[in-house]
Amino acid sequence: MKPATAFFIAAGLMLGLTLAMPSLTRVRFVDEPSIATSLPDNAGGWKGQYILFCQNPEHAAGYILDELTTKCPECGGDLNPLSIFERAVLPDDTRADKRQYTRSDGTILQAALVFSGRDRASIHRPEVCLVAAGSEVIGNKRRLVTFSDRKPLDLQVVNVQQSRKLADGQMVYGKTFFAYWFSGHGRETASHPVRMFWMAWDRILRNRAYPWAYLSVTGIYDQPGDAPLQKLDDFIREIYPLMHSNVTITSETKD
Ligand SMILES: [Zn+2]
């Protein structure tokens, strides 16, 4: 092949790709969530409360409330499940719900449900958010939660060491876990790269974007050994079926 011929073939390919680009980027957002768009009020023996953040930058307090309220009880600012910081970094069409669940034995877990919108950036690698002041990721592993009536659910469990300085200057340390999985367009995975692959697959080959849910559960290692994660398993077994019953599939919406 002569160099000139190669050049024209290459130029032709470039032009073809350029012409194809608009159709690649015209992705239709199909608002069909694979799981419920809000967390359940209660899950088995776990009683839920709302986690809400004041959106007034002067106040920005976090609340755990029995009733869903739209106004801050102290300053009257708007309340949102996402903090001011989270809203600043996430796209406007991100949907979220956060609850704190307490079991009769006093065990407390916090759950967050976040749905991606048209923009892929709504859900990013969760570890990114965990790198806060005084927090350090010290472990990362998979955990299978078994069910009596379905295949096991694969969870990613991130262990975080927290350190806080008390008013008297004394340092306190605690270890927390942060477990999550993703669900979108009938697929579920605990892997961020796998989720990115499926999102890209739907966008590039099908010109479709589907809302992906990111469901995370966090708790404290307040007992030795595996006991805290066994409580997590119990919670997942209660909440999973509730997130998959009565899923309302909305009709396709165009861009
Ligand atoms: Zn407030």
Side-chain angles (χ1 to χ4, degrees):
M1 191 187 290
K2 286 177 186 168
T5 315
F7 172 78
F8 281 113
I9 290 172
L13 280 173
M14 289 291 285
L15 182 65
L17 276 175
T18 310
L19 292 174
M21 282 305 278
S23 67
L24 283 179
T25 53
R26 243 195 332 264
V27 172
R28 186 197 285 187
F29 181 63
V30 184
D31 196 7
E32 292 177 357
S34 288
I35 66 175
T37 51
S38 62
L39 293 164
D41 291 339
N42 302 296
W46 299 82
K47 187 186 175 301
Q49 293 169 289
Y50 295 92
I51 300 175
L52 296 161
F53 293 90
C54 175
Q55 303 296 301
N56 172 4
E58 308 278 303
H59 188 212
Y63 289 96
I64 292 162
L65 301 171
D66 290 334
E67 303 289 330
L68 183 59
T69 316
T70 56
K71 297 293 177 193
C72 174
E74 286 177 80
C75 78
D78 290 336
L79 291 179
N80 194 296
L82 297 172
S83 67
I84 293 176
F85 169 75
E86 288 171 318
R87 286 188 72 196
V89 297
L90 296 172
D92 286 342
D93 61 351
T94 305
R95 288 168 283 183
D97 189 8
K98 290 183 190 167
R99 311 284 177 109
Q100 176 166 296
Y101 293 95
T102 308
R103 205 168 67 172
S104 54
D105 66 354
T107 304
I108 292 174
L109 294 174
Q110 294 191 334
L113 174 67
V114 177
F115 277 94
S116 65
R118 283 160 206 276
D119 187 340
R120 256 180 299 192
S122 302
I123 309 178
H124 41 268
R125 186 185 294 276
E127 286 86 331
V128 173
C129 270
L130 294 173
V131 188
S135 299
E136 187 192 355
V137 174
I138 53 168
N140 218 324
K141 61 182 177 183
R142 287 295 173 85
R143 184 175 182 88
L144 278 181
V145 181
T146 54
F147 293 81
S148 58
D149 55 353
R150 60 151 272 145
K151 64 181 173 62
L153 178 68
D154 203 9
L155 293 178
Q156 185 74 34
V157 180
V158 182
N159 293 326
V160 179
Q161 179 77 49
Q162 318 260 11
S163 55
R164 294 272 180 278
K165 200 172 190 175
L166 299 179
D168 62 2
Q170 190 193 340
M171 292 297 290
V172 285
Y173 300 94
K175 194 176 151 193
T176 55
F177 60 84
F178 191 87
Y180 62 85
W181 81 95
F182 303 101
S183 174
H185 197 208
R187 306 178 182 116
E188 68 188 13
T189 176
S191 161
H192 177 75
V194 168
R195 174 185 71 87
M196 294 300 282
F197 169 81
W198 284 121
M199 287 182 106
W201 178 273
D202 286 336
R203 277 176 182 263
I204 293 165
L205 296 182
R206 310 185 62 205
N207 281 353
R208 297 280 192 279
Y210 297 91
W212 275 74
Y214 159 60
L215 211 161
S216 67
V217 182
T218 185
I220 304 167
Y221 284 103
D222 53 358
Q223 287 171 288
D226 201 46
L229 293 181
Q230 286 170 16
K231 293 176 188 173
L232 168 71
D233 294 347
D234 174 60
F235 177 71
I236 297 290
R237 286 189 194 106
E238 295 289 355
I239 199 171
Y240 186 94
L242 297 173
M243 294 305 293
H244 289 81
S245 64
N246 302 318
V247 175
T248 314
I249 303 294
T250 49
S251 58
E252 290 204 357
T253 50
K254 280 197 165 184
D255 281 328

